[in-house]
Amino acid sequence: MPSHTRAPKLMSVDFRRLVTQPDLNSHGTLHGGILMKWSDECAGMHARKSTGFLCVTRYIDKINFVSTARIGTILRITSVIESIGNSSLTFRITVRNDLTNNVIATIDRLVFVCVDGTHKPINHGLKLDDD
Ligand SMILES: CC(C)(COP(=O)(O)OP(=O)(O)OC[C@H]1O[C@@H](n2cnc3c(N)ncnc32)[C@H](O)[C@@H]1OP(=O)(O)O)[C@@H](O)C(=O)NCCC(=O)NCCS
């Protein structure tokens, strides 16, 4: 356990992506796999910004594709820290149309683990204020 623990600076981070031609499926709407990749990347960047460590995806639970996104849609991908462990951080993702605020997808839990140079979990030293 590190001698100093600190609260994360940013509990919530917004990222934006523009839907373009290569992101579409054969029906002409946003491909679900692309949306999952972007969501994973956003939570991963949030984990990296919060801890300063290399963080890898350990577990993803419950993705809900609520509505479609089309070419030209600006997506707002909001990553929120839900809980904090010793080496892990758990995020919730909500993807919205940035102009209309309509929800496009949610992912209930993405668990990231901080790893050292030998790819072993390490304590990130973060904790929530009320823990
Ligand atoms: C990440 C990795 C090094 C962790 O190793 P591990 O043996 O699972 O480590 P541990 O059992 O000590 O668990 C590490 C943390 O993950 C959490 N965890 C493990 N399995 C979990 C699960 N199924 N759901 C939620 N959390 C889980 C543990 O609770 C622990 O959290 P804590 O330290 O905050 O208490 C290893 O699983 C790995 O390399 N996985 C592949 C990662 C990857 O390639 N991702 C895709 C590309 S980024």
Side-chain angles (χ1 to χ4, degrees):
M1 185 76 173
S3 51
H4 299 294
T5 57
R6 63 195 195 286
K9 284 198 181 118
L10 298 167
M11 289 301 289
S12 172
V13 181
D14 284 347
F15 300 86
R16 284 177 178 74
R17 298 293 303 227
L18 177 66
V19 178
T20 63
Q21 193 80 45
D23 311 319
L24 305 182
N25 57 30
S26 55
H27 318 294
T29 60
L30 175 62
H31 192 291
I34 301 279
L35 188 143
M36 287 169 66
K37 175 175 183 279
W38 288 345
S39 299
D40 183 44
E41 280 176 0
C42 291
M45 286 189 280
H46 192 176
R48 183 81 189 272
K49 279 164 71 75
S50 299
T51 64
F53 290 112
L54 174 64
C55 304
V56 295
T57 315
R58 180 64 177 83
Y59 186 77
I60 298 182
D61 190 29
K62 259 191 216 162
I63 181 157
N64 188 1
F65 294 103
V66 178
S67 61
T68 54
R70 297 178 193 283
I71 193 162
T73 302
I74 300 169
L75 298 180
R76 184 169 77 253
I77 303 173
T78 304
S79 168
V80 175
I81 297 176
E82 289 283 300
S83 63
I84 295 181
N86 294 314
S87 67
S88 69
L89 292 161
T90 301
F91 299 88
R92 175 177 171 79
I93 289 279
T94 306
V95 183
R96 287 191 169 81
N97 179 319
D98 195 35
L99 299 185
T100 64
N101 242 11
N102 282 347
V103 175
I104 289 165
T106 57
I107 305 178
D108 282 3
R109 288 173 70 214
L110 297 96
V111 179
F112 279 76
V113 173
C114 296
V115 293
D116 63 16
T118 62
H119 214 81
K120 296 274 186 313
I122 45 169
N123 190 329
H124 44 54
L126 291 178
K127 74 193 269 289
L128 295 178
D129 276 336
D130 51 4
D131 280 353

